[in-house]
Structures are given as C-alpha cells and as structure tokens.
Amino acid sequence: MDISFLGGPRPQRGVGVVAPFDFALDRELWRWVPDEVSLHLTRTPYVPVEVSLDLARLVSEHETLSDGVHTLTAIAPEVVAYACTSGSFVGGIAGERAMCEAMTRAGAVPSVTTSGALLEALTELGVRRVALVTPYTVSVTRALEQYVAEAGVTVSGCAFMGLTRHIWKVPYRDVADMARRAVGRRPVDALFISCTNLPTYDVIPQLEAELRIPVLSANQVTMWAALRRVGTRAVGPYQALIDPAARIDPATPSGPVLPDVPDVPEQEQQ
C-alpha cells in the first residue's frame, strides 16, 4: 500500500532536559509540549541525600550539569533546560546565571533553569508581590524567598510542607490547600508553586479561577521558557502564563475572594 501521501514524519524539534536523579514527573512535562516538539530527558547521578540545601548543591554542580548536557548533544536539542527549582536557586541569581553559562558551553545551545524561568515569568506578568508554596523544609524555603527577594520581588505570603522525600506523591488537594494558606487575603500579584517534583498541571487553572491571580509552577515555567527559546509556545488549559487571554483584566478587582485565613505560625505550616 502506498503511504507516501502521509508525507511524514514531521521534522522533530528537540528540547533537552537535565533533571535530578529523583525526578518522577516526566509525564507532566510532556503535557505542556506541542506535538512538533520532543523532550529528551537525562538525570544527574544518584546520591544518597534527602531533599535539602546539600542535595540542591550536589545536583547543580557545573561538572554534573555539563555531563548531563553532553549526553544530549548527539540528538541535537535546540535548547537545554535544567528542571530543578532548588538546584537553580541555591546559589542565588549569580549562581543561576553561571549554571546557564556552564550548560551553554557544554552543549552550544541556549540554556534555561527552572529558577531563571521563574524570574522571567514574573517579569512577563509584571509581578511585584508573590506568594510561595513549597514542599520543602524551612531552610530550603527560606533560600527560595531570598532568591526571589534578590530579584526585587516581595514575598507576601508563604506556606511549606517540610518534606524531604517522595514529593511527587503529594495529591492536588494538598497543593490547593497550601496555595490558599499562602495567599490568604494578602495583596498578591501571583502565586508560585515550587519544585519540579510537585504535581501541579491540573490544579493551575482551578486555582487561577478561585484566587483570581496568575498561578505559576516549577514545571510550567520551565517548559514555557524553554519553548520560548525555540520560537514556539507551551500548550495547556487556560492559564495566565501561556495564554494572555487568561490574564486578569487590570480593571477587575484582583486578589482572592476567600474567608479570612489567620496567619499560621511557621512551625504549624507544615
């Protein structure tokens, strides 16, 4: 049978992804990717360390990143993304920029990191006050707050889970509860849900509808920024970052319409 009429396969466009060894949400990354783009993932070597600042430093060493990028060069991706939030904010803004430079040298292609993509997204949306949700311990959460503050963005609220392992098993219900706690009735321009191992894809549109602010997540901003580098757009259900039509009209009163949520002492937020 003559199948020449199919004319395919279509030319493949590749996005390389370097992820930590414990990354478990490959499928979630794919959900933001248009049909003509393929993801090519590689992981950093295993180390017997729980989620912590020490782990963040280990999985973001320049030699480790370069080795990861080298494993992708044979398939010629057009951009390389480092998919780890803590690993890319642990060294501050200067550290994140140095990571991108190291990856670009290793692969001769543009490079992005999750935390760099976060700042890019905050700028895109004009965010000056952000609420944070993290699955991390207090020390890792504070490092994220410092990174965001270094970029000139005010952290208006924060809630964290205190987890050191199995973050990909957190259900959407818990993510949504933490989001409501972080935002409360504070003046907030956007919410960021940290950690590429925390599932967020399906909860983003629902939280945006409820809270009436843009909701960003680690995997979302990573894919959005990487795909921008290759001249295409992320796909997904109605969400402010990837669909300008979903952005709240400036004339519309912003902020969540929720009952008062009392501030929770830091140790109780876990």
Side-chain angles (χ1 to χ4, degrees), residues 31-32 201-202 204-206 208 235-240 242-243 246:
R31 297 178 76 182
W32 272 291
Y201 184 89
D202 295 300
I204 290 173
Q206 285 73 21
E208 288 197 338
V235 297
Y238 203 64
Q239 49 197 277
I242 65 176
D243 184 358

Side-chain angles (χ1 to χ4, degrees), residues 55-57 59-60 82 84-91 99 115 136:
L55 179 61
R57 295 185 184 100
V59 298
S60 62
Y82 176 64
C84 180
T85 323
S86 60
S88 51
F89 68 61
V90 69
M99 291 172 64
S115 294
Y136 312 132

Side-chain angles (χ1 to χ4, degrees), residues 22-36:
D22 63 345
F23 180 70
L25 298 182
D26 305 52
R27 183 176 63 174
E28 178 163 292
L29 290 183
W30 275 99
R31 297 178 76 182
W32 272 291
V33 177
D35 289 342
E36 72 272 15

Side-chain angles (χ1 to χ4, degrees), residues 33-53:
V33 177
D35 289 342
E36 72 272 15
V37 174
S38 287
L39 294 182
H40 308 297
L41 276 84
T42 188
R43 284 168 169 76
T44 63
Y46 171 78
V47 290
V49 179
E50 294 182 331
V51 177
S52 61
L53 290 175

Side-chain angles (χ1 to χ4, degrees), residues 239-257:
Q239 49 197 277
L241 181 61
I242 65 176
D243 184 358
R247 298 176 187 178
I248 301 298
D249 187 323
T252 303
S254 61
V257 181

Side-chain angles (χ1 to χ4, degrees), residues 43-208:
R43 284 168 169 76
T44 63
Y46 171 78
V47 290
V49 179
E50 294 182 331
V51 177
S52 61
L53 290 175
D54 287 339
L55 179 61
R57 295 185 184 100
L58 286 170
V59 298
S60 62
E61 293 177 344
H62 290 191
E63 183 177 355
T64 298
L65 295 178
S66 297
D67 288 346
V69 173
H70 283 145
T71 67
L72 299 168
T73 54
I75 49 180
E78 296 180 42
V79 63
V80 174
Y82 176 64
C84 180
T85 323
S86 60
S88 51
F89 68 61
V90 69
I93 290 177
E96 189 277 333
R97 290 174 179 165
M99 291 172 64
C100 286
E101 292 170 1
M103 290 190 294
T104 296
R105 285 195 303 271
V109 292
S111 301
V112 299
T113 73
T114 299
S115 294
L118 166 61
L119 299 188
E120 191 175 327
L122 294 177
T123 299
E124 172 75 10
L125 297 173
V127 173
R128 305 309 304 164
R129 300 167 300 183
V130 67
L132 303 176
V133 167
T134 90
Y136 312 132
T137 61
V138 62
S139 60
V140 183
T141 301
R142 294 294 173 257
L144 173 59
E145 291 178 337
Q146 292 166 12
Y147 175 81
V148 171
E150 186 183 354
V153 178
T154 299
V155 176
S156 297
C158 183
F160 62 95
M161 301 179 188
L163 301 180
T164 59
R165 61 177 66 191
H166 298 163
I167 290 171
W168 68 88
K169 297 180 180 180
V170 174
Y172 282 148
R173 180 182 296 106
D174 291 357
V175 175
D177 287 346
M178 295 295 285
R180 297 183 187 104
R181 181 179 297 176
V183 173
R185 293 187 62 86
R186 304 174 183 89
V188 173
D189 300 322
L191 170 73
F192 174 60
I193 305 171
S194 189
C195 190
T196 53
N197 236 356
L198 186 65
T200 58
Y201 184 89
D202 295 300
V203 79
I204 290 173
Q206 285 73 21
L207 282 174
E208 288 197 338

